[in-house]
Amino acid sequence: MGAAIGQSLPVAVGVLISPLPIVAVVLMLVSGRARANALAFVVGWFVAVLALVAVVALVAGNATPDDGGPATWTGWLKIVLGVLLVALGVRQWRGRPRGDAEPPAPAWMAAIERFTPARSAGLAVLLGAVNPKNLLLVVSGGAAIAAAAPGDTSATVVAALVFAVVASAGVVTPVVIYVALGSRAGPVLDELRSWMVRNNAAIMAVLLLVLGAKMLGDGISVL
């Protein structure tokens, strides 16, 4: 269990600091349905990440050789995921805004003021388990858990829960700031949103490159 948590923890931290989901929560906290929408987003995010990482880890972990060690194909899976993460990281870096150029804002940002809790939860699922960058990261986390705890269902489930909790800390942080600071939270959240939007591409590029290199190394070590 400890090995599964330890192997997947760096990837969970990568999901934790993904900028756009944090920006989404911040925008919800300054909308008309602040508490309901933000809570729906956090719950939707946690469930989506937990479901995806658990399914990947259980399916991959149960396809193990008789000796109980990690299957060779899990090494190849990590290598493929590593290559995809590195390629996506390079693409993010090359597409980052230059100088004082403003990064393009996703269309959903302008519509958040009109969101209901159901739409907030739906956006959380899209950003947490469908968005290509997060999808690759969460699948990588599931592959790391499977390789570290092959065939051990209880360890896999606990590691998946820990992964989802850590990965959700980023979207929970703005809610904690909102509750703790009350009326003073507005300027802090707005500054956080501006910084995250402005540096989204650079943050994700570094994350994807570092985690991609880790997955490549882990995959090669299995072979």
Side-chain angles (χ1 to χ4, degrees):
M1 183 186 302
I5 293 173
Q7 286 294 314
S8 63
L9 196 57
V11 185
V13 172
V15 179
L16 180 164
I17 56 180
S18 298
L20 286 185
I22 298 174
V23 170
V25 177
V26 170
L27 291 174
M28 288 172 188
L29 289 171
V30 296
S31 69
R33 298 177 176 177
R35 292 179 182 270
N37 284 350
L39 180 59
F41 185 95
V42 169
V43 172
W45 173 273
F46 176 79
V47 171
V49 171
L50 175 60
L52 180 57
V53 74
V55 168
V56 172
L58 288 169
V59 171
N62 286 326
T64 57
D66 294 336
D67 61 8
T72 302
W73 71 266
T74 61
W76 286 111
L77 174 61
K78 284 188 171 186
I79 289 174
V80 170
L81 290 170
V83 170
L84 290 173
L85 287 169
V86 169
L88 196 53
V90 171
R91 181 180 177 184
Q92 284 283 117
W93 182 257
R94 294 181 64 183
R96 74 192 189 282
R98 302 299 203 279
D100 296 328
E102 287 294 323
W108 53 260
M109 285 189 182
I112 279 185
E113 181 65 37
R114 302 187 298 275
F115 270 26
T116 62
R119 290 186 69 184
S120 299
L123 177 62
V125 173
L126 288 175
L127 291 179
V130 180
N131 177 275
K133 294 185 284 292
N134 264 45
L135 175 64
L136 275 177
L137 288 173
V138 178
V139 170
S140 298
I145 292 172
D152 190 338
T153 301
S154 60
T156 297
V157 170
V158 172
L161 278 169
V162 172
F163 182 96
V165 169
V166 173
S168 300
V171 295
V172 170
T173 299
V175 179
V176 173
I177 294 173
Y178 178 84
V179 172
L181 298 182
S183 60
R184 296 173 295 161
V188 177
L189 292 174
D190 187 61
E191 185 176 348
L192 175 63
R193 177 196 61 79
S194 298
W195 189 87
M196 285 285 189
V197 169
R198 187 169 59 252
N199 296 285
N200 171 58
I203 294 171
M204 287 306 302
V206 173
L207 278 177
L208 293 168
L209 289 169
V210 171
L211 293 174
K214 177 187 182 300
M215 292 299 292
L216 280 170
D218 289 349
I220 291 171
S221 69
V222 173
L223 301 180

